[in-house]
Amino acid sequence: MNLRHKTSLLLGVVVSLALTISGFCMHFLYEKALRASVYSSVDMVAQSTAATIANYLESGFREARAIAVTLPLDALKNNHPAALERQLRMMAESFPNFRNGLFILNAQGDLLVDWPPHPEKRGRNFAFRPYFKRTRDARHGIIGEPYRSARTGQPVLTFTAYLQDRQGNFLGVLGCSAQLLDPAGLGALRQKRLGQSGYIYVFDISRKIILHPDEKRILVSDVPLGANPMFDRAIEGVDGVGETVNSRGISMLLALRRVAGSTWIVGAQEPRDEALSHINRVEFRIALAGLACALLAAIIGWIAVGRLMRPLRDLENIVEHLQLPAEDGVDDDVKGRTPGRLLPLQKNPDIGGLARVIYALYMELSEALVDSRKANSELQSAQSDLAQALDASWQLTEQLESNHRILSEQAAALEEANRQLKDTQSQMLQQEKMASIGQLAAGVAHEINNPMGFVTSNLNTLGKYLAKLRAADKEQAALLADLMDEEQAEAYLRQRRKSKVDMVFEDIPELLDESLDGAKRVRDIVQNLKTFSRVDQAEETEVNINDCLDSTLKIVWNELKYKAEVKKDFGELPSLKCHPQQLNQVFMNILVNAAHAIEERGEIRIRTWCERQQVKVAITDNGCGIPDEVRERIFEPFFTTKEVGKGTGLGMSIAYEIIQKHGGRIEIDSRVGEGTTFTIILPLDKTAVDDSATDDQPADHGQGEVRTWEKLLEESRTQETG
């Protein structure tokens, strides 16, 4: 893109930017003015509607009191419904607003008379109606809450008057019922429209809709708290205008005004998109005008810049065809031709200075080029001398590299020997420790089994003795009952109850059962200890991996039960020839690390299956997971992420070595914050193992701690067993 294109584009962009900014300002001002106009319009409608409703309610209240003044109270007091019915008929003709009817309830709330007459309802008690209770308690007429008539199903509004005799005794209540949706009354407000789809609605502070274009919503509280913020604020006593979202999720420009003398609130609203629709058309016109102006500015810039840049293009053509000087220097012919071609351009007021600068630069560069050619010839001579020196230095460098290579190989060999020595030392320490712990466990198990045999045998014998003793006591009690009189028998029973003999006989069997159960649990723990250690199995033996896992779970149960729920999914497995005590050590380290990875309460899932002549064990936890930087170093000896003094860093290193010696491998799938799965793969036939499968090194939880028998035995003394 050349300068002409760039200038035209820049001019178009500047014009477009200016028009865009001015368009945004116009849009803002126009929208502000239009919004204020809409707010004023809906507010005027809300205020006028509120005044109309207030006048309607006041008029109905006055008419109800006027009708009450005309009633023959003596007829009401003496229970003469005929006279009252004639008067109600006359009043119904004089006051057509009460199209739903007029009625009188006596002091007990019974329907005494109504017009139009409904004989089947006369005598029924309506004291439960809120308007009756409120009128009786307030001792004056009220405007009742709108409700749906049981007779017509239409929403009605009842105006009441308090009826009393000259002495102030309560005689009853006059009810004047108006149809809420009467077109001659408030029903006409439902037909008003603001714009195309705006409308008016009325509700009270109990959230009940009083008037609404949708008749299904009338007398229904279907606006939940929080669905319409301005609706909620109006109920709290704050009215005015603003933008809100109604209960149907539509943005509205809303005005809310209270109806004087009532708990009703009038809302006049118009959809925001409809009220501000004119702005979209204005925006489209502004965009078209801006695009046309930008295009015109780009065309004018294209033509003007083309004319202004003509001398510059001539200068570019001259500079492009300038000749380089000869090797022996800048001749007079070149000096003469160059200023002759640049002379007209040097007089140009726009680019004359640039032409003079180019001429001066050309002469300086020509002389510099001649000097550089001379220096280049001298440099080539010096390079030949330098090449000879470099040959000698290369020979010395090759000798030094050879010596460095030999030293590096020796250092690598020493490091490898040191690493192997450390690995061998750690494995020997662990093997000696496991052997001594296994012998200790077997000895402890043997020593515990002997006294536990005595305890179990004595408990069984004690149970038999208890049965004989209970039988003897029963026979003795029967004999004593025959030999003693009533007073002696009563004394014997009191002494027996005081000594709690029967309770002792009932409690001893439970104590014996609990003791036998505890002895059995101790015997099971000892058996699991012997099974796990297996010090008598130094050679490989065929075992079922499921049995090894069960034995390990029983040993480490105290470590797991407070941290996780263990779920087992054991499949059918063939026997595997292995060192079971070593595999138990691997399972123990992974299970304990899984428990440590769970912060509070989690889940550990153990799954076993056989696939392609391989036994697979997957141990999954939903703990903290393993970061990638920890996974890369997890099998390094003495590497641990635990605090100082809490981990040796040998657990997963030894586990990895044990699995490798069995011809297997460990795979890992871990996500930080979600959990980790260790998969141990052991071949049934070690000669068929693919060596490449051992390249993938899974990581542990960063715990790397060797779980020793000393620690487990110490924990088992302080915590309750399995």
Side-chain angles (χ1 to χ4, degrees):
M1 182 179 293
N2 55 29
L3 183 59
R4 185 179 185 183
H5 294 156
K6 294 179 180 177
T7 305
S8 302
L9 180 60
L10 178 61
L11 186 59
V13 170
V14 170
V15 173
S16 299
L17 184 61
L19 291 174
T20 301
I21 294 174
S22 62
F24 274 118
C25 294
M26 292 175 60
H27 172 271
F28 174 76
L29 295 175
Y30 183 66
E31 180 181 354
K32 184 177 180 181
L34 182 59
R35 186 185 292 269
S37 175
V38 175
Y39 282 153
S40 176
S41 176
V42 296
D43 192 35
M44 289 178 59
V45 172
Q47 291 182 10
S48 64
T49 304
T52 300
I53 294 176
N55 292 336
Y56 174 81
L57 297 178
E58 180 63 24
S59 175
F61 188 64
R62 288 197 305 267
E63 291 178 356
R65 285 186 296 178
I67 294 173
V69 171
T70 64
L71 293 177
L73 298 181
D74 292 337
L76 175 61
K77 189 174 183 180
N78 298 322
N79 197 15
H80 293 158
L84 293 173
E85 182 176 339
R86 286 194 300 272
Q87 186 64 26
L88 288 183
R89 180 179 60 187
M90 294 173 58
M91 293 298 101
E93 295 175 355
S94 301
F95 297 94
N97 286 336
F98 304 125
R99 297 180 185 275
N100 202 60
L102 306 174
F103 59 90
I104 298 175
L105 303 179
N106 62 17
Q108 290 75 35
D110 297 331
L111 179 62
L112 185 62
V113 63
D114 62 341
W115 186 267
H118 298 89
E120 71 279 4
K121 290 189 176 182
R122 292 186 181 181
R124 289 177 56 181
N125 187 273
F126 290 90
F128 64 89
R129 291 292 191 186
Y131 58 76
F132 179 82
K133 295 179 180 179
R134 289 176 54 196
T135 303
R136 180 189 60 193
D137 297 340
R139 299 182 64 83
H140 61 74
I142 56 98
I143 301 174
E145 298 293 333
Y147 66 96
R148 197 170 293 276
S149 172
R151 179 174 55 83
T152 64
Q154 293 295 321
V156 295
L157 182 64
T158 300
F159 299 85
T160 67
Y162 185 81
L163 302 179
Q164 61 183 1
D165 58 14
R166 296 177 181 178
Q167 289 76 30
N169 297 321
F170 177 54
L171 299 179
V173 173
L174 168 65
C176 303
S177 181
Q179 293 182 357
L180 194 62
L181 304 184
D182 187 358
L186 298 181
L189 298 177
R190 300 172 55 236
Q191 309 302 323
K192 288 186 178 181
R193 288 291 178 267
L194 303 179
Q196 295 181 356
S197 57
Y199 56 87
I200 300 171
Y201 64 96
V202 182
F203 59 97
D204 63 8
I205 59 174
S206 67
R207 312 185 75 86
K208 182 189 296 183
I209 303 296
I210 307 300
L211 291 175
H212 196 278
D214 186 0
E215 188 172 346
K216 295 179 180 178
R217 299 186 62 184
I218 295 177
L219 302 184
V220 177
S221 299
D222 61 350
V223 182
L225 184 64
N228 188 331
M230 287 190 64
F231 190 98
D232 299 337
R233 291 198 297 271
I235 292 175
E236 295 172 358
V238 180
D239 56 3
V241 297
E243 182 176 344
T244 187
V245 177
N246 65 11
S247 60
R248 303 302 188 263
I250 302 174
S251 296
M252 291 287 185
L253 301 183
L254 173 64
L256 294 170
R257 294 295 175 185
R258 286 186 171 270
V259 177
S262 71
T263 60
W264 294 9
I265 302 171
V266 175
Q269 64 182 14
E270 185 175 357
R272 178 187 178 279
D273 293 340
E274 178 183 317
L276 304 181
S277 60
H278 298 289
I279 295 179
N280 297 329
R281 294 193 291 270
V282 173
E283 289 177 347
F284 180 72
R285 293 171 183 172
I286 292 175
L288 287 180
L291 182 62
C293 292
L295 183 61
L296 181 60
I299 294 174
I300 294 174
W302 174 273
I303 297 173
V305 172
R307 292 189 177 183
L308 292 174
M309 292 184 60
R310 186 175 300 164
L312 188 60
R313 287 200 301 272
D314 295 339
L315 177 62
E316 179 182 358
N317 185 39
I318 293 172
V319 173
E320 184 178 357
H321 294 87
L322 287 177
Q323 296 180 358
L324 293 176
E327 295 183 1
D328 55 352
V330 182
D331 55 12
D332 295 336
D333 185 48
V334 172
K335 291 182 179 179
R337 289 196 307 271
T338 301
R341 299 176 62 186
L342 291 176
L343 182 60
L345 296 178
Q346 292 179 7
K347 297 179 181 180
N348 188 289
D350 295 326
I351 62 171
L354 180 59
R356 288 190 292 272
V357 171
I358 290 175
Y359 173 73
L361 289 176
Y362 172 75
M363 298 306 296
E364 291 178 5
L365 290 175
S366 299
E367 293 174 358
L369 179 60
V370 173
D371 294 339
S372 68
R373 287 173 178 171
K374 294 178 181 180
N376 186 38
S377 62
E378 296 174 358
L379 182 60
Q380 288 180 354
S381 176
Q383 284 179 346
S384 63
D385 297 337
L386 182 61
Q388 294 177 0
L390 286 175
D391 290 339
S393 66
W394 276 116
Q395 294 177 0
L396 180 59
T397 301
E398 290 177 355
Q399 182 64 34
L400 290 175
E401 288 181 351
S402 176
N403 294 338
H404 181 266
R405 190 181 306 110
I406 294 173
L407 291 175
S408 298
E409 292 175 355
Q410 293 176 351
L414 288 175
E415 290 180 359
E416 179 64 21
N418 184 44
R419 186 188 65 78
Q420 293 179 358
L421 182 61
K422 286 184 178 180
D423 292 346
T424 303
Q425 181 182 9
S426 63
Q427 294 172 14
M428 291 178 62
L429 287 174
Q430 182 67 13
Q431 290 174 358
E432 291 176 1
K433 184 183 293 186
M434 290 302 296
S436 61
I437 291 174
Q439 292 176 358
L440 175 63
V444 170
H446 178 72
E447 292 301 326
I448 292 176
N449 270 338
N450 289 336
M452 289 311 299
F454 301 153
V455 171
T456 304
S457 176
N458 291 343
L459 289 174
N460 289 327
T461 303
L462 183 59
K464 296 177 182 178
Y465 289 168
L466 175 63
K468 294 179 179 180
L469 184 60
R470 293 187 68 173
D473 179 71
K474 193 172 184 180
E475 293 176 359
Q476 182 182 7
L479 292 174
L480 289 175
D482 295 337
L483 297 176
M484 292 186 296
D485 56 21
E486 184 177 352
E487 183 177 355
Q488 291 174 336
E490 182 65 26
Y492 171 73
L493 290 177
R494 277 198 308 272
Q495 182 63 30
R496 188 179 181 89
R497 285 193 296 270
K498 182 178 180 181
S499 301
K500 300 181 179 179
V501 174
D502 295 333
M503 186 192 71
V504 170
F505 278 125
E506 292 177 359
D507 198 27
I508 288 178
E510 294 183 3
L511 297 177
L512 289 175
D513 291 341
E514 291 177 358
S515 300
L516 287 171
D517 182 63
K520 181 178 179 300
R521 291 169 65 184
V522 172
R523 189 165 61 250
D524 291 342
I525 293 172
V526 170
Q527 183 61 37
N528 290 329
L529 200 59
K530 292 178 65 179
T531 302
F532 189 84
S533 62
R534 299 193 182 186
V535 296
D536 56 339
Q537 294 185 1
E539 300 297 331
E540 288 186 341
T541 182
E542 291 190 355
V543 296
N544 191 299
I545 295 299
N546 291 340
D547 297 337
C548 293
L549 285 167
D550 283 331
S551 176
T552 305
L553 281 172
K554 293 176 181 178
I555 295 300
V556 300
W557 180 244
N558 277 337
E559 189 80 19
L560 303 182
K561 65 181 180 180
Y562 299 109
K563 296 297 292 293
E565 178 184 359
V566 178
K567 295 184 177 181
K568 299 189 293 185
D569 183 11
F570 289 173
E572 295 184 3
L573 301 179
S575 296
L576 177 68
K577 190 173 184 180
C578 62
H579 293 280
Q581 71 278 14
Q582 295 182 4
L583 293 182
N584 288 345
Q585 180 70 17
V586 173
F587 299 148
M588 181 180 70
N589 282 339
I590 295 178
L591 287 170
V592 172
N593 282 346
H596 288 174
I598 298 172
E599 294 183 359
E600 295 182 356
R601 184 73 181 176
E603 176 182 290
I604 298 176
R605 185 182 297 274
I606 306 175
R607 177 172 173 253
T608 63
W609 73 99
C610 184
E611 180 182 351
R612 297 179 181 177
Q613 294 299 309
Q614 292 175 331
V615 173
K616 297 186 178 181
V617 180
I619 301 176
T620 302
D621 67 75
N622 57 354
C624 60
I626 306 172
D628 293 338
E629 60 272 14
V630 174
R631 186 186 309 179
E632 295 175 355
R633 301 186 56 196
I634 204 62
F635 291 114
E636 295 181 10
F638 308 106
F639 173 77
T640 180
T641 59
K642 288 188 174 181
E643 299 177 3
V644 177
K646 291 190 177 181
T648 64
L650 293 174
M652 294 309 299
S653 175
I654 293 174
Y656 180 71
E657 293 295 333
I658 290 173
I659 297 301
Q660 267 198 332
K661 287 182 179 180
H662 282 77
R665 66 184 188 274
I666 301 178
E667 295 179 352
I668 185 172
D669 180 18
S670 181
R671 292 179 176 84
V672 176
E674 297 182 8
T676 304
T677 298
F678 284 94
T679 303
I680 301 171
I681 302 174
L682 299 169
L684 294 174
D685 184 5
K686 295 182 181 179
T687 60
V689 176
D690 183 9
D691 295 335
S692 63
T694 63
D695 293 339
D696 298 331
Q697 294 187 355
D700 70 353
H701 293 89
Q703 311 298 327
E705 179 183 2
V706 179
R707 301 298 297 170
T708 62
W709 281 107
E710 293 95 334
K711 185 177 291 186
L712 290 174
L713 290 173
E714 182 179 355
E715 293 172 353
S716 66
R717 296 190 188 101
T718 58
Q719 302 177 2
E720 68 170 349
T721 59

